[in-house]
């Protein structure tokens, strides 16, 4: 069964498996002890730190192993903010950061801090100018991911790091999606990553704090990992993480070319095979292996189940697959279609045959879901000859958009359709539909229930 969700968690690399099993027999003792077993465990831990530091491009004494990538992010942000509290209490993040960054920012803001969220364009990238304009005299820290986890877009980290350095502000980079492919460029100050993203075992993260960065670890501190990660080190997992990082780097140049060709095949063929599809993310500046597209008039969760039954494991940023029933914050920030969203992220070793079979299965799966949603039975009432009201209250995505598409042809050019909806996803998907179909999105206004979205027919 082809596994196409490597951006969530990559399959365990063979080198990681070998290193994990071998170090279980050698790395079980306390590396802080001076007896033979402790010294052996310390040697394994030190060697893993050296290997990981070489891959990242930092000093070994700047790198801390944490219990996860999220823990590395939490510790890095909170420690840097505390270390620079005399400078001020202002934090900069991008609108498309991983939830671990945004959740930490929320906690900081709730505690009295100030947070600036930098917007992105339709490709999912920030501009250097937007970060530069967000910098203030009281800015303690800026955060920027190296590549987006949902759409694969690479961020201008080196240029942002340069303007932050000129302002005396440290930049923390979440490198979870890119570290397998190479070092993060630029003069960044802190870096976080997660081993299970590159084929290492879960439960191991990396936190790098450059020398000279003011840092104050928050919470209880012990003697391990420079006081930045309390608790007994999981040496077998750490050894496996470092070994697999070195292994994937050795394969990166060749494998990245292969995966880029396969994802470009998906990017180019899906719009031809499936009508009413928007492929999102930057077409050029992107990490290998990730391609994301959204299908109009499709329930994302149903589509994922159909693809799973056909033998393909993919993920989605669609609101229809979320327990909160709100659109993906990444897709929302980009202003792109969220309904029927599919993220394909290919692991190393994916074959062209698997991709071809996916492209054969996808059109039928989308058509089947659309057929099931073809007659939702929303109430449509005519207000004037040149205006219609669509009542889609109580209906989840993509029903409001489906109902809009059904009636837009019933008003003359210049006429309007007013869609009533209480689904948060409609705020994103109706404007996206208008852009895709060449209609004018006039705006939204309060209604007795939910929100009224006004669309003017232009074609």
């Amino acid at each position: 069964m082809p596994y196409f969700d490597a951006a969530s968690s990559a399959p365990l690399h063979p080198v990681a498996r070998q290193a994990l099993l071998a170090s279980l027999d050698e790395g079980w003792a306390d590396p802080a002890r001076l007896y033979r077993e402790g010294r052996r465990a310390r040697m394994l831990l030190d060697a893993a730190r050296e290997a990981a530091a070489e891959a990242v491009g930092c000093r070994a004494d700047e790198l801390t192993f944490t219990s996860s990538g999220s823990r590395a992010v939490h510790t890095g942000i909170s420690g840097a903010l505390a270390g620079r509290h005399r400078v001020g209490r202002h934090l900069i993040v991008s609108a498309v950061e991983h939830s671990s960054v945004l959740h930490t920012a929320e906690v900081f803001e709730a505690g009295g801090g100030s947070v600036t969220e930098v917007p992105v364009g339709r490709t999912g990238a920030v501009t250097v100018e937007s970060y530069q304009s967000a910098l203030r005299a009281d800015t303690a820290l800026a955060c920027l991911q190296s590549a987006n986890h949902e759409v694969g877009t690479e961020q201008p980290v080196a240029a942002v790091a340069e303007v932050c350095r000129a302002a005396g502000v440290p930049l923390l980079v979440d490198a979870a999606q890119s570290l397998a492919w190479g070092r993060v460029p630029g003069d960044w100050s802190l870096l976080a990553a997660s081993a299970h993203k590159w084929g290492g075992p879960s439960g191991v993260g990396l936190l790098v704090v450059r020398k000279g960065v003011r840092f104050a670890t928050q919470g209880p501190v012990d003697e391990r990992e420079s006081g930045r990660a309390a608790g007994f080190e999981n040496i077998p997992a750490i050894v496996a993480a470092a070994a697999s990082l070195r292994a994937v780097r050795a394969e990166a140049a060749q494998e990245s070319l292969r995966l880029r060709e396969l994802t470009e095949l998906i990017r180019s063929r899906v719009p031809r095979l499936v009508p009413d599809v928007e492929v999102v993310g930057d077409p050029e500046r992107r990490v290998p292996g990730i391609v994301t597209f959204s299908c109009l008039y499709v329930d994302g969760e149903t589509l994922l189940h159909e693809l799973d039954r056909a033998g393909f494991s993919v993920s989605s940023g669609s609101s229809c697959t979320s327990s909160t029933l709100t659109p993906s914050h990444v897709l929302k920030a980009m202003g792109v279609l969220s309904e029927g969203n599919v993220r394909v992220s290919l692991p190393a070793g994916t074959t062209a045959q698997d991709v071809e079979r996916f492209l054969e299965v996808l059109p039928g799966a989308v058509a089947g879901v659309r057929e099931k949603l073809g007659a939702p039975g929303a109430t449509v009432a005519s207000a004037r000859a040149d205006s219609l009201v669509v009542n889609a209250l109580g209906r989840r995505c993509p029903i409001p958009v489906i109902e809009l598409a059904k009636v837009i042809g019933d008003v003359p050019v210049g006429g309007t359709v007013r869609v009533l909806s209480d689904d948060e996803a409609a705020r994103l998907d109706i404007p996206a539909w208008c852009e895709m179909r060449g209609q004018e999105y006039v705006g939204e206004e309060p209604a007795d229930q939910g929100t009224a979205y006004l669309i003017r027919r232009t074609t």
Side-chain angles (χ1 to χ4, degrees):
M1 179 174 179
Y3 175 76
F4 285 177
D5 195 22
S8 292
S9 188
L12 194 65
H13 194 283
V15 168
R17 186 183 304 276
Q18 295 169 6
L20 180 64
L21 294 175
S23 57
L24 284 171
D25 292 331
E26 298 291 332
W28 52 267
D30 187 343
R33 302 307 175 198
L34 300 179
Y35 43 70
R36 179 180 57 191
E37 293 85 356
R39 294 197 306 272
R40 188 181 297 131
R42 168 57 63 180
M43 289 176 62
L44 288 172
L45 181 58
D46 289 346
R49 198 184 313 276
E50 290 282 353
E54 193 280 329
V56 171
C58 67
R59 293 170 39 157
D61 59 354
E62 294 174 329
L63 188 146
T64 296
F65 290 111
T66 65
S67 59
S68 68
S70 292
R71 173 52 59 190
V73 166
H74 297 163
T75 302
I77 294 177
S78 62
L81 289 172
R84 287 173 48 82
H85 72 279
R86 292 183 179 178
V87 173
R89 302 203 66 202
H90 177 232
L91 170 66
I92 301 173
V93 301
S94 85
V96 294
E97 294 298 313
H98 187 267
S99 58
S100 60
V101 174
L102 298 182
H103 290 164
T104 309
E106 290 171 1
V107 171
F108 176 65
E109 192 169 32
S114 173
V115 177
T116 296
E117 192 173 273
V118 175
V120 298
R122 283 187 67 85
T123 65
V126 303
T127 65
V128 180
E129 293 75 16
S130 62
Y131 261 77
Q132 191 165 26
S133 63
L135 291 167
R136 307 186 327 206
D138 63 339
T139 302
L141 178 68
C143 300
L144 180 63
Q145 59 189 193
S146 55
N148 186 259
H149 49 292
E150 287 193 27
V151 300
T153 297
E154 292 180 332
Q155 300 289 359
V157 171
V160 170
E162 184 177 347
V163 300
C164 288
R165 178 70 64 177
V169 174
L171 177 69
L172 181 146
V173 179
D174 173 9
Q177 289 298 334
S178 73
L179 197 59
W181 304 110
R183 293 180 177 178
V184 176
D187 197 11
W188 46 266
S189 301
L190 302 97
L191 179 143
S194 184
H196 74 98
K197 300 290 188 179
W198 67 67
S202 58
V204 179
L206 303 180
L207 172 62
V208 177
V209 181
R210 296 284 200 189
K211 293 296 182 183
V213 175
R214 293 184 178 275
F215 194 90
T217 304
Q218 301 303 285
V221 176
D222 65 18
E223 70 279 4
R224 298 182 186 275
E225 293 300 306
S226 302
R228 291 174 183 160
F232 197 91
E233 298 94 341
N234 186 347
I235 293 177
I238 288 172
V239 169
S244 58
L245 179 56
R246 184 160 51 184
V248 298
R249 280 292 187 80
E251 304 160 355
Q254 182 175 353
E255 192 63 16
S256 65
L257 290 175
R258 221 176 55 78
L259 292 185
R260 285 187 189 280
E261 290 178 357
L262 293 178
T263 51
E264 183 55 35
L265 182 66
I266 297 173
R267 286 183 63 87
S268 62
R269 298 246 320 254
V270 165
R272 299 202 301 264
L273 294 170
V274 182
D276 296 316
V277 164
E278 181 179 18
V279 181
V280 301
D282 194 294
E284 301 294 336
R285 292 183 54 83
R286 55 190 305 103
V287 289
I290 299 180
V291 56
T292 305
F293 54 89
S294 298
C295 308
L296 272 175
Y297 321 131
V298 169
D299 177 286
E301 184 173 7
T302 304
L303 179 57
L304 263 58
H305 285 315
E306 290 296 324
L307 292 172
D308 182 45
R309 278 193 286 269
F312 292 93
S313 302
V314 299
S315 63
S316 173
S318 171
S319 60
C320 301
T321 63
S322 169
S323 60
T324 62
L325 302 183
T326 58
S328 151
H329 73 278
V330 172
L331 301 178
K332 185 175 182 180
M334 293 168 62
V336 298
L337 185 69
S338 72
E339 66 185 54
N341 180 260
V342 175
R343 181 187 67 182
V344 175
S345 49
L346 308 177
T350 298
T351 66
Q353 290 77 14
D354 285 341
V355 171
E356 288 288 355
R357 193 165 73 82
F358 173 76
L359 293 172
E360 291 175 4
V361 167
L362 180 67
V366 173
V369 175
R370 284 174 173 167
E371 185 177 0
K372 292 177 183 177
L373 297 172
T379 302
V380 181
S382 177
R384 298 192 307 274
D386 61 350
S387 177
L388 288 175
V389 175
V390 173
N391 184 351
L393 293 168
R395 292 173 168 84
R396 289 176 51 194
C397 74
I399 302 303
V401 180
I402 290 176
E403 291 302 309
L404 167 61
K406 282 183 176 182
V407 303
I408 191 70
D410 294 341
V411 298
V413 172
T416 60
V417 176
R418 193 167 180 259
V419 181
L420 302 177
S421 176
D422 51 7
D423 181 5
E424 178 65 22
R427 181 166 283 111
L428 181 62
D429 290 347
I430 289 177
W433 179 88
C434 291
E435 181 164 337
M436 293 176 69
R437 309 304 290 174
Q439 308 299 341
E440 180 186 355
Y441 177 67
V442 179
E444 65 177 72
E445 57 188 29
D448 291 340
Q449 296 183 60
T451 303
Y453 301 92
L454 189 63
I455 300 90
R456 179 176 289 112
R457 182 182 176 188
T458 58
T459 61

